[in-house]
Amino acid sequence: MISLKPPALKLAARRTAATDLRPWFGPIHPSQPSHVRTLRQVNPEPEDTETGANDFILSILHASPSVRDSKSYLSSFGPQSRNSHQKLKPTVNLPDIDPRPPLVTTNVPPPSIDAVKQQVAEILDPIQRHTALVKIQGPFTDVQLESICRGMVYLEKLGLVSVIVVERDDWKRGEDHERSDAIEEALRIVKALEGQGARARPVLQAVARLGPKPGDPIDVPTDSLVDPPEAHALPSDLGAIRSALRAGEIPVLVPFALDSFCRTVRIDANYVIAALARGMVEAAQLSSSTPMGPYEFDLTPLRLMIINREGGIPSYARSGLPHLLVNLESEFRHIQDTFQSQWFSSHPSALSNLRLAQACLTYMPKSSSAVVVSHRSPRSLIANLITNKPAQSSSIPHALLSGSKKVTPHTPTIIRYGLPIRVVRSIHELSKPKLTALLEQSFGRTLDVEAFYARLDASLDFVIIAGDYAGAAIVTNESDPTDPSSPPIAYLDKFSVLPEHQGDGTVDFLWVALHDESYGLGLASALNPNVGGRQGRGTGRDLVWRSRATNPVNKWYFERASGHVRVGGHWAMFWCDAEERIARKEASLREAWGIHGLSFVEEDEMGRAKRWGRIVEAIPSSWVRT
C-alpha cells in the first residue's frame, strides 16, 4: 500500500519553506516501501557569535567539506611535489565537536572525532599559497569592516592571500578629493587588517594603465560576452604586489591607473581588478618554469571575491532572492535580459559585478570561481574556498530550501565560467562515440551500444548535453507494456557527468536544465535559454527514473525528488511532479479549502506509482552483462 499525504500537505511540501530536507543516506528499507516528503520543524541556524580561534575552526566545520572537497582543496594548497617547500605540521588543538549532523538517520557510521580533527588539521596546514582578487565595496562601518577583515585573515591562514582593491558606492567621479578619499579608505582597511593580527601594506601607486593592452585587437565583436578592456596591467607593473606578498603582507590597492600622459587618475575598481586578473595570470605563466621557494607565490588568482552591502545577484526565478550558482556560458545574457527594473535600485552594482566576474574568469583557471557576498555572510568565504560550491545546491527546488538551508537576501552567489548547455531531440544529432565514452566513464561499465541506440531511436524524447559531452541527461518516452494505448511517461534514462567534471557545478547545471525541459515546463523558473530548449513554453510532465536501492547517489536524488518507492527486488523508483500542474491545483485548493472530504490521493494520481513501477521494471538494462 502506498501512503501519500493529503493534497494540501503535498502542495505545502513542494511550495513552502517548512520541509525538512536533511540528507537521506543508505538504501531504501523494505519496511518502508514508499516515501513522500513530510513537514517537520527545522531549528534555525544559530547566529555567528563565536570569536577567536574557535570561530575560525567552527567556520571550517560550518563549510561541511566532503572528502572530495577536502581532496580538491589539498590538491591546490597541499604539497605538490618533492621540490615543494615542506614544513613540520603544527599541533592543532581542536574543540571536541560531534561530527554527526543533527536529525539525520543513517545506516552508515558517522566519522570519528579523530577523523574530523585530522581533516581540519590538514586544511589548517597549507603548504602552497595562492592569491585571491578581492573587491571590498563599501561604505562599511568600523564594525562591519572588522568582520570583513577577520575573514581575510582566516583565508590567509588557509593559504589564500587576498589582493584587495577598495571601492565605495558613495564615491563620485570628478570630486575634488577623490584621490585622497581613496587613499584614506585603503589606509582604513590596512588598519582594520592589522587590528585582526594580519600584516598589510597599502599600495598607493597605480598598478594598471588605461586602455587596452598593446597588441590587443581594437575592434571587439558585437556578439562578444566580454566587455572591451578599459585598463591593463603588465607583469612589470606588479612589483609592489609581489613585494608585499613576499614580505607576508596583504596588499591593499587604491583604484588608480596611469593615463596616456602618465598621470595617476582614479578609475572604477572593476577596471583595475579585471586588469589584475589578466596581468597576474600572464605573470604567473612567465614564471611557471622557475621553482617556487618558501616565500614565492603563484600569482594566478584562484578566486574573485566581491564583498558588498547588497548581497548576491537577484534571480527572477527566486522572486528577487540571489542566484545560488551562475553558469556564465549559458546564463550571462539571460540574467541581463531578465533583470527587473526595481533591482537597479536595490542591487545597483549587480550587473556590473556580473560583468566583472565574466571578464576575470575568462583569464582565470577553469576551476576558479567568483563569489558575490554580503558583508553579513563572512563564513561563506571560507566555505567557498574549501568546497568551491554554493551554500546550497542550485538544483534543489527553491520551495524545498528551508531551515538552515533557506535562501535569504544575504545568501552568496557563486559564479563559474561553466559550460554551454544544449538540447537535442533527434538521435541523428548525437555524437554516439562521445556519448558512449561519457556513459562508460561515468558509470564504469561497458555499454551495449547496438541495443541502447536502437531503443533510443524508438523512444528518445530529448538529450541535454553540457559542453562537449562533459555531461548528459537522456529522457525517453516509455509506454506501459500492459496498456500500450495509455500515454507514455517521461523517463530519465541516463544522467551522467564525466568524473573530472564532478564537483565543478556541471551536475547542478545539467539538472537545472533537466528541470526546465521536463517537470518545470510552464513556470517562470524554466525560462533559461538552453540552445534547442523550449524556453519555458509547454506543459510540464512528471519525470520518473530508477536507481539501484543501494546506489549511494540516491541521497542526491532524494533531495530533488517529490517522492520514491521500492519497486521489484533491487530498484528504487523516484519521481518529480510536474510543477505547473501542482501550481494549478494549489490555486484551486485555495478556493475550495472549506470543502470537507478531500481525498488523500487525487483522482489523476490514483495508481500512478504502480503503473510507473510496471513500466520501469520492464525497461531493459543498457549494459553488457559481465
Side-chain angles (χ1 to χ4, degrees), residues 572-594:
M573 183 180 72
F574 297 86
W575 69 87
C576 286
D577 290 316
E579 293 181 350
E580 188 265 344
R581 187 190 75 245
I582 294 290
R584 278 190 284 106
K585 290 184 177 180
E586 184 179 25
S588 64
L589 280 173
R590 290 195 194 103
E591 299 178 0
W593 188 247

Side-chain angles (χ1 to χ4, degrees), residues 8 56 64 133 135 165 173 187 281 287 296 304 309 328 372 396 403 468 474 490 532 542 556 584 610 620:
F56 177 42
S64 303
L133 283 169
K135 180 172 78 163
V165 181
R173 293 293 304 275
L187 295 175
V281 168
S287 59
E296 292 289 344
L304 169 65
R309 297 179 300 161
L328 285 174
V372 184
I396 297 178
D468 189 17
I474 303 174
D542 298 332
W556 195 87
R584 278 190 284 106
K610 184 178 295 185

Side-chain angles (χ1 to χ4, degrees), residues 3-68:
S3 177
L4 302 178
K5 51 180 167 289
L9 291 185
K10 180 167 64 177
L11 296 178
R14 293 293 297 174
R15 307 305 298 176
T16 71
T19 307
D20 176 25
L21 288 181
R22 295 289 179 177
W24 176 71
F25 297 82
I28 297 176
H29 196 275
S31 64
Q32 298 174 334
S34 67
H35 180 86
V36 182
R37 300 188 186 284
T38 59
L39 297 176
R40 183 167 52 170
Q41 183 66 36
V42 179
N43 294 326
E45 183 179 1
E47 295 291 332
D48 295 339
T49 57
E50 303 85 356
T51 58
N54 276 1
D55 180 38
F56 177 42
I57 293 169
L58 290 172
S59 295
I60 296 174
L61 294 175
H62 182 77
S64 303
S66 65
V67 174
R68 177 185 292 166

Side-chain angles (χ1 to χ4, degrees), residues 435 438-439 463-466 469-474 492 494-498 506 510:
L435 182 57
L438 164 63
L439 296 177
V463 181
I464 303 173
I465 302 169
Y469 290 84
I474 303 174
L492 178 58
K494 295 288 183 293
F495 185 87
S496 58
V497 174
L498 287 175
T506 302
L510 197 60

Side-chain angles (χ1 to χ4, degrees), residues 452-562:
F452 176 71
Y453 287 107
R455 192 167 68 82
L456 286 192
D457 192 32
S459 62
L460 180 66
D461 189 355
F462 60 85
V463 181
I464 303 173
I465 302 169
D468 189 17
Y469 290 84
I474 303 174
V475 176
T476 59
N477 294 308
E478 302 292 341
S479 299
D480 187 343
T482 64
D483 185 10
S485 62
S486 63
I489 65 170
Y491 175 72
L492 178 58
D493 189 89
K494 295 288 183 293
F495 185 87
S496 58
V497 174
L498 287 175
E500 59 264 32
H501 284 275
Q502 294 174 9
D504 68 358
T506 302
V507 171
D508 281 329
F509 297 150
L510 197 60
W511 192 272
V512 169
L514 176 65
H515 162 274
D516 295 348
E517 297 300 321
S518 57
Y519 65 96
L521 270 182
L523 297 180
S525 57
L527 298 180
N528 292 323
N530 304 312
V531 176
R534 299 189 185 278
Q535 283 82 54
R537 294 187 293 270
T539 302
R541 301 173 63 193
D542 298 332
L543 183 69
V544 184
W545 68 98
R546 72 183 183 187
S547 175
R548 291 283 177 183
T550 55
N551 189 347
V553 178
N554 288 344
K555 166 186 174 293
W556 195 87
Y557 287 150
F558 172 77
E559 293 176 330
R560 288 149 185 81
S562 301

